[in-house]
Amino acid sequence: MRPIGVDGPLVSIRKFSKKPFNLSKLVDIGALKPPIAELLAAAVKSRITTIISGGTGSGKTTMLNALSAFISEKERLITIEDAAELQLQQPHVARMETRPPNIEGKGEIRQRELVKNALRMRPERIILGECRGEEAFDMLQAMNTGHEGSMATIHANNPREAISRLEQLVGMAGLPMTIPSIRGQIAAAIRMIVQLQRLSDGKRRVTSVAEITGMEGDIVQMQEIYKFVRTATADDGTVEGHFVATGVRPRFLSELTARGIKIPNHYFDPGKPL
């Protein structure tokens, strides 16, 4: 409203479909290829902790909803969000939402308090709608203490930037931690980063799937498994490109095999089309 809305009232509506996008629908619209979707689904089933990274409006929440469909119905989930947007289909979901301060500046409940509280509620996984503040520290603690398979979204333009942004968010907690110890926490907690991007033609695509493999000195080691290669832009503005495997086999494949999930070797062959 005036005087904040200079030209009059501004209304912003975020509307979600009553039927959430599932992974097969995302494959149909070209956001990713079937082998990539199969690997992501297997990783979620096998409790591989995943961060979904991307810019504003790149489809992070949509992807989180689609991947959450592969979580077992026997698991107890807790979702923590600023604005309740997740549409999880499991029966054991406890949903929590932050609360802004009242007009007197009191009564605020932030994500950090909710993450701490969630740990006392015996969840199998914690799903954080968006990690944007000091709750990043408590989220990493939770992922490192028996809540494998937890998921969160974060604003970043590429997987490497997602890690450095996490470092900054952990630093916001104001705890006396050194950079190497923060990076050690990140490398121990997070296993996979899925990067999304809204391209210039308005289409949303998975542009990278990367695995965090540990630390080497003070550097978090990361290897890319799949990426989207942009080749040209058509006359009508459509972005042309293709998905490729980098030839790297993820280290967590042995964990998938142990759980009875087999991913064919040719999915990681850079010479074969996806």
Side-chain angles (χ1 to χ4, degrees):
M1 300 289 285
R2 279 182 177 277
I4 296 161
V6 178
D7 299 319
L10 297 171
V11 179
S12 179
I13 299 171
R14 278 173 73 90
K15 187 175 183 298
F16 290 88
S17 168
K18 285 182 180 171
K19 280 188 176 178
F21 274 73
N22 55 26
L23 212 51
S24 58
K25 181 80 184 290
L26 291 174
V27 169
D28 291 343
I29 62 172
L32 70 169
K33 289 288 183 183
I36 304 174
E38 204 174 310
L39 181 72
L40 295 183
V44 172
K45 285 179 192 170
S46 303
R47 299 176 68 93
I48 303 296
T49 305
T50 304
I51 292 281
I52 297 166
S53 156
T56 305
S58 58
K60 299 186 297 296
T61 306
T62 302
M63 177 60 77
L64 189 54
N65 272 327
L67 292 180
S68 70
F70 298 95
I71 299 172
S72 164
E73 294 199 344
K74 295 175 183 174
E75 293 186 34
R76 175 171 163 77
L77 312 176
I78 291 183
T79 69
I80 296 168
E81 301 172 83
D82 263 343
E85 295 174 342
L86 292 172
Q87 299 166 294
L88 271 62
Q89 312 301 313
Q90 283 76 6
H92 305 299
V93 179
R95 303 172 75 200
M96 294 197 285
E97 193 177 23
T98 58
R99 189 168 72 189
N102 61 17
I103 200 162
E104 293 157 2
K106 295 176 182 171
E108 181 184 17
I109 296 175
R110 298 174 305 165
Q111 281 194 345
R112 186 167 190 192
E113 281 90 54
L114 293 181
V115 173
K116 284 180 180 173
N117 197 60
L119 295 177
R120 299 189 189 100
M121 296 166 70
R122 205 194 61 76
E124 250 100 26
R125 305 189 198 213
I126 295 173
I127 297 179
L128 208 59
E130 187 178 326
C131 189
R132 57 164 70 128
E134 69 270 23
E135 71 276 357
F137 174 73
D138 300 282
M139 178 191 78
L140 290 177
Q141 294 289 320
M143 289 173 171
N144 270 324
T145 53
H147 301 87
E148 297 89 359
S150 294
M151 298 159 85
T153 70
I154 192 167
H155 279 272
N157 294 326
N158 57 58
R160 179 60 65 185
E161 198 179 299
I163 290 178
S164 54
R165 185 158 156 73
L166 259 177
E167 283 177 35
Q168 291 162 7
L169 296 180
V170 171
M172 287 169 70
L175 297 164
M177 289 179 72
T178 62
I179 292 291
S181 67
I182 292 173
R183 288 179 181 165
Q185 285 269 8
I186 292 169
I190 296 163
R191 306 283 302 281
M192 189 166 70
I193 297 177
V194 180
Q195 179 70 38
L196 290 149
Q197 194 177 335
R198 185 170 180 267
L199 302 176
S200 53
D201 59 358
K203 289 181 180 170
R204 294 159 175 85
R205 287 210 172 93
V206 173
T207 53
S208 176
V209 176
E211 180 190 24
I212 294 177
T213 56
M215 295 279 289
E216 192 171 298
D218 288 348
I219 307 297
V220 177
Q221 290 299 301
M222 183 188 290
Q223 56 184 19
E224 197 169 39
I225 302 165
Y226 294 110
K227 63 181 177 180
F228 177 75
V229 178
R230 184 172 175 165
T231 52
T233 304
D235 295 337
D236 60 357
T238 305
V239 172
E240 295 173 357
H242 56 275
F243 292 92
V244 294
T246 59
V248 173
R249 287 167 53 84
R251 292 191 183 180
F252 57 74
L253 276 185
S254 56
E255 292 177 41
L256 304 192
T257 309
R259 289 177 181 263
I261 302 169
K262 288 191 169 57
I263 303 288
N265 283 334
H266 67 81
Y267 280 9
F268 308 107
D269 186 348
K272 293 191 177 178
L274 292 175

